[in-house]
Structures are given as structure tokens and as C-alpha cells.
Amino acid sequence: MSPVPKTPDIRLAQQPDADALLGRSPLAALVGMLLDQQVPMEWAFSGPYTIASRLGADDLDAHEIAARDPEEFAALLSEKPAVHRYPGSMAGRVQQLCRFLVEEYGGDAAAVWAGVATGKELLGRLEALPGFGKQKAQVFLALLGKQYGVRPKGWREAAGAYGEQGSYRSVADVTGPDSLAKVRALKQETKAAAKAAKAAKVVKPPGN
């Protein structure tokens, strides 16, 4: 079975060209997920298309990015509009990810999930990627299962709460403006609840 059974209709960047790249390019999807921190989702997932365009290509190439001069690549991501709020540090992370893919998977991003037998195995592979902690790995696993058709046995369980059907917890559940609004609303509710819980904590007097 192909690692990506069909070209999915991705709507994470909310821009047709950028979303089309995410749909056809496994590396673009991984880089978008890597960039998805401390910036709006649309900004992060537009990044791969911006990088490819500035490289004069229609896709990302792990070998080419890995071999680029770090200062030159950082400058590329820093051009206005910047690819990320922290373009310099994120340029380093993108190159680190691409070097890992070259060394471990011959530069083929899809090989990360090709042929995996279980969701647990896939989660382990994703967690091994530079810049992917457990939460980011689980969100991307859920994205692969829900939108890219990559569904090894037990993938929902391995993705944790992000794998739940009908949930609106992460980018894995965003398929357009309406679902994006639901995901953002849930995140705001979660933040508000956490803030309220923290404020409600009673500090015990000394000696008690």
C-alpha cells in the first residue's frame, strides 16, 4: 500500500498553492508541522511553499536544504515576509530535520511512515525526528491518519486525544475555516479553564 494513498485536499495554510504543496509533498507537511509553534497555524503551514518559492523550486528537497549554507538559508527564511516569527532559529531546525531525513531515510520524508505496522511504531519514528516532541508527534500522527490516509493499526490510540474521531483539538482536525474556528475556540476554552484553575488554588498558610 502506498504511504499516501491519495492526494488529500489539505486546507491548513488557507492558501490554494501552499495547501496544494502540503497535499502532494510529505516533506512540506513535515516542515509545516515543525514550524507550527508560536505562530498562527496558517503562517506555519504556508512556510514550506514560501521556502520552495524562494529556492526557485516547486517542492522542497531534503538533500538541497541540508546542504545549504546555514547563514544563507537563515537569510532566505528571514526575507520579508518572514517564514516564522523566529526565522533564524527555525531555519536551523528545518536544516537539522532535513539532515536527519537524508541520513536515516535517504531524504525521503514519506519513508518515515512507509511500511509501519502499528501506530506505536509510527509514533516512535516521529518522536525521533529533530524538533518533534511527543505532543507534536501525536498531532502529526493524527494528521496523517485523519487527512493523509496513513492508518497503521492502533494509530488513533497512539495519537492520544488528537486521534479521537470528531474532535477539534489540533491542526489534524482543520479542513477549512469552520473547523479552524472550532479548534481555536476549544484552545481558548482550555486556556481559560487552566487560568481559572490556577487562580482558584488556595495557598496554604505557613505551618499548615
Side-chain angles (χ1 to χ4, degrees):
M1 184 181 73
S2 169
V4 182
K6 61 179 181 177
T7 301
D9 184 16
I10 301 300
R11 303 288 180 88
L12 299 178
Q14 305 279 301
Q15 295 178 29
D17 289 340
D19 280 325
L21 178 61
L22 294 170
R24 69 175 186 268
S25 170
L27 180 55
L30 274 178
V31 170
M33 190 72 241
L34 179 69
L35 295 172
D36 188 29
Q37 57 187 63
Q38 297 179 297
V39 295
M41 179 202 74
E42 305 95 311
W43 186 357
F45 282 95
S46 295
Y49 180 76
T50 303
I51 295 171
S53 297
R54 290 177 184 176
L55 289 172
D58 60 4
D59 195 358
L60 300 181
D61 185 302
H63 290 91
E64 181 184 0
I65 292 173
R68 283 258 166 180
D69 175 78
E71 290 187 8
E72 178 191 306
F73 191 65
L76 189 87
L77 269 66
S78 299
E79 290 176 20
K80 294 186 182 297
V83 168
H84 194 274
R85 181 172 290 147
Y86 305 106
S89 61
M90 293 311 295
R93 292 189 181 191
V94 170
Q95 284 196 292
Q96 187 182 16
L97 172 63
C98 288
R99 290 189 196 106
F100 182 88
L101 291 172
V102 168
E103 292 168 5
E104 299 296 327
Y105 295 99
D108 181 8
V112 175
W113 50 86
V116 292
T118 66
K120 183 178 180 181
E121 180 186 356
L122 178 51
L123 180 62
R125 288 191 182 190
L126 293 172
E127 285 186 285
L129 297 174
F132 279 66
K134 183 175 182 180
Q135 183 183 45
K136 189 179 286 288
Q138 285 187 313
V139 170
F140 192 73
L141 197 164
L143 177 62
L144 286 174
K146 291 180 175 182
Q147 298 199 44
Y148 286 86
V150 179
R151 297 165 183 158
K153 183 179 179 181
W155 71 270
R156 287 190 187 275
E157 291 78 7
Y162 302 108
E164 292 176 4
Q165 191 167 5
S167 64
Y168 292 96
R169 297 181 185 275
S170 72
V171 299
D173 304 304
V174 175
T175 55
D178 290 346
S179 51
L180 174 58
K182 290 179 181 179
V183 169
R184 287 202 166 132
L186 180 59
K187 286 185 176 181
Q188 289 299 322
E189 289 173 16
T190 303
K191 283 183 182 179
K195 187 176 181 180
K198 185 176 180 181
K201 276 189 177 180
V202 177
V203 179
K204 292 184 179 181
N208 286 356

